[in-house]
Amino acid sequence: MFSQTHEYSAFWNEYHLCTLTTLRSNGTPHVVPVGVTLDADAGVARVITRKSSKKVANILASRPGEARADVCQVDGGRWATLEGTAEVLTDAAAVEDAVARYADRYGRTPAPDPERVVIEITIERAMGQVNVTRPRTASDAN
């Protein structure tokens, strides 16, 4: 069961570009920028994408229940990584729900796409450091 502090879950609701790591058939990592939503109550992270993407192909190439995926986000000294098993969901209700969650987090609804699918990661491990003071920048002085 996924269980983290309020601050950790809140960090996943902030607007941040994330990375998704999947494994190629030769075992090397495939890392791409994505938007991620966290459903802490369900213990899953979701990424919307096109079914023709390499990340989807990597997941589908694994045996059912054995595809590994990690998502990560960084903001200064704050960071969080979620690790788990991934599956590709294609049903309309799952896609619609994932798009709505993406719109809530990122403030925009993606254009309709008949090729859209959802990568759902069942979280097995969460790591990170989110209670770090953000470093001051030149723009903070203005």
Side-chain angles (χ1 to χ4, degrees):
M1 180 70 179
F2 173 74
S3 177
Q4 287 296 320
T5 65
H6 170 74
E7 291 82 9
Y8 190 89
S9 293
F11 183 54
W12 280 101
N13 288 323
E14 295 175 13
Y15 187 107
H16 296 291
L17 185 62
C18 305
T19 59
L20 168 70
T21 303
T22 57
L23 298 176
R24 295 180 183 99
S25 59
N26 67 2
T28 61
H30 174 72
V31 184
V32 293
V34 294
V36 175
T37 60
L38 170 64
D39 182 346
D41 292 336
V44 299
R46 295 181 182 92
V47 174
I48 56 175
T49 189
R50 295 181 60 89
K51 66 182 173 184
S52 60
S53 71
K54 179 64 176 166
K55 52 192 163 286
V56 167
N58 289 341
I59 292 166
L60 295 177
S62 296
R63 286 186 247 172
E66 293 185 8
R68 304 297 302 170
D70 300 348
V71 289
C72 182
Q73 66 181 18
V74 177
D75 179 42
R78 300 183 311 152
W79 65 277
T81 299
L82 303 170
E83 299 177 348
T85 54
E87 64 179 315
V88 178
L89 306 179
T90 59
D91 66 278
V95 172
E96 183 178 316
D97 178 61
V99 168
R101 290 172 186 274
Y102 178 95
D104 284 346
R105 180 173 186 194
Y106 291 100
R108 69 173 194 83
T109 301
D113 184 350
E115 299 292 307
R116 183 166 289 128
V117 297
V118 180
I119 296 172
E120 187 171 272
I121 302 165
T122 301
I123 301 165
E124 297 171 0
R125 183 175 180 201
M127 303 173 287
Q129 178 61 43
V130 299
N131 297 324
V132 175
T133 303
R134 294 179 67 185
R136 290 181 46 91
T137 64
S139 64
D140 291 336
N142 296 328

